[in-house]
Amino acid sequence: MKITTPRRLFASAVLALATVAGATTPGQAQPAAPTQPAAAAAAAAAAAALPGYQVINGGPATVDNFARMYLACPSGKVVVGGGGEAQGAGGVLVGSFPSYVGGVYRWNIVARQEGASQVTTTGHIVCVDSAALPGYQLINLPNANVSNGGSREVACPSGKVVVGGGAEARGSSATLRFSVPIPAKKVPYYSWTASGRSLSENTVGITVDAICADPMPGYEIVEAPVTEAPNPNRLSLTCPQGKAVLGGGPGGYNTAVVSASRPEFIDSAHGYRWVTSVREPSRTTAISGASAICANI
């Protein structure tokens, strides 16, 4: 299905074709393709410690560059993570972040395609029942310009852990460079940090969002070792047995361009893993890492 919006920066569009376990999210269009039947079993297994755990997949949808798309959690649920992928050799993930609009928790995706006016994108949102996360809080750091490759950070309040987060790079040639959680073992607090870069300017706008909550059983942040691999450098992270992935993010280095950061279904026994894709336009290889947030199921 093709969705177009006025060709201007940061236009709005609903990412239609949302599917989860054969059902549609309220307010979304009908599924574009069959959902993996085994996803229902994985979601049911997660209900023990994370009531209402649900991964909703949207797209693929073709939209104008910089169109803002979103998926929404069903009523009574909160967003804990999400992501997307800008498909194609020139796909660029500009923004992947949570929001709360009109009483509904959303995951937003902004993407573009180098050398084209439109981009084909998928979107994904991870939701749980609101009662599953005491102390739940979504914190937004409004947009501000930083030097190319610079970063910004949102810290969770004392006593809370970072459950998920995201960011948006702003500018006509902007891209995310990294968008990852920071565990308390690295700093004396949990936080979400993000970096962007412009392919044509000396500065780039960065907005950062952190999802925080009271600690939960089995909480941990899993990190993939930094690796150098041929473009695109695709990494995947699987939570330890008995745990479900809540969210995650890509870690790119140097002149990295992020094209994907999203949950990916494995099978009914393993549920979802987190996958990322990073490339460096001026090199044949890219250096990247990845992080995933896990909790007991």
Side-chain angles (χ1 to χ4, degrees):
M1 177 177 179
K2 186 174 181 179
I3 306 172
T4 61
T5 58
R7 293 179 59 187
R8 62 181 187 275
L9 295 186
F10 311 114
S12 295
V14 173
L15 182 59
L17 317 176
T19 64
V20 55
T24 58
T25 308
Q28 302 295 319
Q30 293 299 312
T35 306
Q36 304 98 331
L50 293 170
Y53 179 91
Q54 184 179 36
V55 179
I56 301 170
N57 305 301
T62 299
V63 300
D64 288 349
N65 284 346
F66 293 104
R68 181 165 291 171
M69 301 162 287
Y70 70 87
L71 292 168
C73 285
S75 176
K77 297 190 178 185
V78 296
V79 59
V80 293
E85 179 163 7
Q87 299 179 350
V92 177
L93 192 62
V94 179
S96 179
F97 58 94
S99 64
Y100 182 70
V101 180
V104 177
Y105 288 96
R106 298 177 173 181
W107 195 269
N108 306 269
I109 296 295
V110 183
R112 62 184 178 84
Q113 180 86 233
E114 291 283 355
S117 62
Q118 293 189 318
V119 60
T120 299
T121 310
T122 63
H124 313 266
I125 186 171
V126 185
C127 310
V128 300
D129 289 350
S130 58
L133 292 177
Y136 181 91
Q137 186 176 6
L138 201 164
I139 306 173
N140 171 259
L141 185 64
N143 181 66
N145 285 340
V146 298
S147 60
N148 231 357
S151 64
R152 303 183 73 203
E153 177 184 340
V154 177
C156 288
S158 177
K160 296 187 179 183
V161 298
V162 59
V163 177
E168 181 180 14
R170 296 192 178 186
S172 60
S173 63
T175 176
L176 289 175
R177 194 166 71 96
F178 61 76
S179 179
V180 292
I182 300 181
K185 67 182 180 181
K186 294 186 176 180
V187 291
Y189 50 81
Y190 288 93
S191 64
W192 195 273
T193 184
S195 171
R197 58 183 298 269
S198 169
L199 303 183
S200 61
E201 307 292 337
N202 293 323
T203 62
V204 62
I206 291 289
T207 301
V208 188
D209 298 271
I211 304 171
C212 307
D214 295 344
M216 64 207 70
Y219 173 90
E220 69 173 302
I221 297 175
V222 180
E223 297 176 292
V226 175
T227 61
E228 183 171 6
N231 287 324
N233 187 341
R234 296 185 70 91
L235 300 176
S236 64
L237 279 169
T238 303
C239 289
Q241 186 174 3
K243 298 186 180 184
V245 64
L246 303 183
Y253 291 78
N254 302 323
T255 58
V257 173
V258 175
S259 58
S261 178
R262 60 180 180 84
E264 179 180 76
F265 185 74
I266 307 172
D267 55 41
S268 58
H270 301 91
Y272 285 83
R273 63 187 171 193
W274 201 264
V275 298
T276 65
S277 181
V278 170
R279 69 178 187 276
E280 290 198 46
S282 60
R283 304 175 66 226
T284 59
T285 61
I287 301 173
S288 72
S291 302
I293 300 174
C294 309
N296 285 356
I297 58 173

